[in-house]
Amino acid sequence: MSDNKPTGAASSVLDVTSLDVHYGPRRRRRQALRGVSLSVAPGETLGLIGETGSGKSTLARAVLGLVPTTSGTIAIGGADVTSHSRRQWRGLRRRGVIQYVFQDPLRSLDPDLTIEESLSEPLRVGGVPRAEAAERIRAYLERVRLSEELLGRLPGELSGGQRQRVAVARALVTRPRLVILDEPVSALDSANRVQILEILKELRADGTALVFISHDLGSVAGVADRVAVLYRGELVEVGATDTVVNEPQHPYTRLLLGSAPTLHGAPATRAEREALRALLPA
């Protein structure tokens, strides 16, 4: 497997080491993650790739303190958070150190709050003065290319692309060190998908670290500095995006590339996919 450390990183925003996660009662216990280790540097975008059931969302939820870990460690900004209590996790999230962007922004935004209220809520919780909060809201709304005219509207009055950009702005307005984005463009049409991806590419200059979760290697390749590939709860390949795309080492990575024809021309044939599947561990 490729080196999972970002090249030249002085310090990491996120360090996951030998992480195991199990689900279910003891007799029917299922291992969702097995020995996962990875790091994300300030200003870096890591693409976390895998099919449904590969463990992507479990890893994200573990990093957010939403599922218990069996073994291993998670450090955010150099601080070990593996054994944090619910109160400690709540404080970490309230301080805006780590933020999460959901796949469906209509479900993550309160339907009864205006866009301005949704954007200001995490700032109020963090104790940001009203005037500063108003200024920051407008600055980040502009960054995601939305008009101030939308501030008085409800989420249901916006298009899908507009709602997703509001969700991105809401995550960024606290100036977090780490943002996890779970399939942020999968529900969008091609025009909105391109726009969101372009916005994400611009965020690296701020030093914000991004973990971009997706089943689609084609979407991630254009924005990620490195790619980590999960297969059945194990990290099977990690490396610079260009290296993973052009010189994939694991058959599962090659299988994912065969499903992303925009990266390598024609998609893999059925026979080619079956041959790659045959190489994967049972």
Side-chain angles (χ1 to χ4, degrees), residues 24-198:
R26 187 173 296 276
R27 289 184 179 180
R28 292 180 293 174
R29 218 174 187 198
R30 179 178 66 85
Q31 189 159 14
L33 292 177
R34 182 181 294 106
V36 172
S37 297
L38 56 83
S39 295
V40 187
E44 181 185 31
T45 298
L46 176 75
L48 187 60
I49 306 299
E51 296 173 314
T52 300
S54 62
K56 306 185 304 297
S57 293
T58 296
L59 179 55
R61 290 173 64 81
V63 170
L64 290 161
L66 300 176
V67 297
T69 61
T70 308
S71 61
T73 60
I74 301 169
I76 297 175
D80 189 339
V81 300
T82 317
S83 301
H84 266 21
S85 65
R86 289 185 179 181
R87 177 179 293 181
Q88 288 173 308
W89 272 113
R90 191 160 53 245
L92 190 68
R93 288 193 288 266
R94 281 183 174 179
R95 293 197 304 274
V97 175
I98 181 170
Q99 293 287 351
Y100 192 83
V101 176
F102 294 87
Q103 178 178 356
D104 183 358
L106 192 56
R107 293 178 63 185
S108 63
L109 297 172
D110 190 321
D112 296 323
L113 294 182
T114 65
I115 301 307
E116 184 169 20
E117 290 168 336
S118 288
L119 292 173
S120 63
E121 185 179 43
L123 297 176
R124 291 199 310 273
V125 169
V128 176
R130 185 185 299 271
E132 181 184 342
E135 182 179 344
R136 203 186 292 185
I137 286 169
R138 281 157 177 78
Y140 278 93
L141 204 65
E142 183 178 348
R143 289 201 64 181
V144 298
R145 300 164 195 168
L146 289 175
S147 168
E148 290 185 23
E149 297 175 358
L150 301 181
L151 287 174
R153 298 188 190 179
L154 297 172
E157 299 175 306
L158 273 58
S159 68
Q162 288 173 326
R163 286 194 295 266
Q164 190 61 292
R165 279 180 279 166
V166 169
V168 171
R170 190 176 191 271
L172 296 174
V173 76
T174 60
R175 297 173 180 165
R177 300 191 65 185
L178 174 66
V179 178
I180 298 176
L181 306 107
D182 193 353
E183 299 278 8
V185 298
S186 63
L188 303 178
D189 60 33
S190 58
N192 280 306
R193 185 180 300 122
V194 169
Q195 192 164 38
I196 293 293
L197 292 175
E198 286 299 319

Side-chain angles (χ1 to χ4, degrees), residues 6-14 39-47 77 97 143 172 175-179 181 199-212 223-226 241:
T7 303
S11 60
S12 299
V13 175
L14 173 66
S39 295
V40 187
E44 181 185 31
T45 298
L46 176 75
V97 175
R143 289 201 64 181
L172 296 174
R175 297 173 180 165
R177 300 191 65 185
L178 174 66
V179 178
L181 306 107
I199 290 168
L200 295 177
K201 285 173 67 175
E202 295 169 2
L203 297 176
R204 288 181 288 193
D206 290 347
T208 303
L210 305 177
V211 176
F212 189 142
V223 296
D225 302 293
R226 289 185 305 131
T241 302

